[in-house]
Amino acid sequence: MSETPSPREVFHRLLDGIGAGRYTELAALYAEDAVVETVFAPVGPRRFEGRATLAARFAEVAEHSPLLLTPANVVVRETDDPEVIVAEFDYRARHLATGRDFEVANLQVLRVRDGLIRHSRDYHDHLALAVAGGNLPDLVTALSAA
């Protein structure tokens, strides 16, 4: 019988999957009723509910993402709640369409129970992503229209 992975181990599985581009496998790390909040996303939905929604989101990323992401400077902090960790890390990124190399700062607060992510609050540097992709003018336009 296998042992239930710790929150730290689940986070590293998530990060390893992203770094390897195995996006379609990532939804299996989440509970059926998981909630993911992308707190600083400038446009679009900031809340995703349920494993099925996350699976669709990851499939979209797998098909359309122009980024290669390599995790770096990973620090995982445990909290006084054994289900909750705080992970600080960077992505060393390459934008395939523009050829730009850049870094993206990230922070995630994860609640993991029974080896599955129940809740995640994700703080990513969306401005760095927009700049690297040459999408800053489109982002400004979208924010102005909101």
Side-chain angles (χ1 to χ4, degrees):
M1 187 168 173
S2 65
E3 191 173 310
T4 302
S6 70
R8 179 185 296 267
E9 291 168 327
V10 171
F11 168 73
H12 280 289
R13 289 177 185 174
L14 177 66
L15 207 57
D16 291 346
I18 291 169
R22 295 190 317 266
Y23 294 102
T24 58
E25 299 173 15
L26 299 179
L29 298 173
Y30 291 83
E32 285 291 333
D33 60 349
V35 173
V36 174
E37 298 174 90
T38 54
V39 179
F40 291 148
V43 294
R46 291 187 179 140
R47 184 178 174 95
F48 302 90
E49 296 185 30
R51 182 186 293 154
T53 300
L54 293 168
R57 177 78 175 129
F58 286 131
E60 182 180 319
V61 170
E63 187 172 336
H64 300 292
S65 178
L67 299 173
L68 295 177
L69 302 171
T70 303
N73 308 317
V74 179
V75 177
V76 178
R77 301 183 192 288
E78 314 241 335
T79 70
D80 59 352
D81 183 334
E83 293 184 344
V84 177
I85 60 167
V86 177
E88 299 175 72
F89 58 101
D90 297 317
Y91 282 127
R92 292 195 177 120
R94 169 164 285 234
H95 196 287
L96 298 174
T98 66
R100 292 183 179 149
D101 292 319
F102 60 103
E103 282 201 5
V104 179
N106 304 275
L107 181 104
Q108 285 184 283
V109 181
L110 296 177
R111 176 173 297 280
V112 178
R113 184 179 308 131
D114 300 325
L116 295 171
I117 300 168
R118 301 290 175 163
H119 188 251
S120 180
R121 287 182 59 89
D122 302 354
Y123 303 85
H124 306 295
D125 185 352
H126 293 275
L127 184 58
L129 294 167
V131 169
N135 299 321
L136 191 56
D138 294 337
L139 180 58
V140 170
T141 301
L143 290 171
S144 298

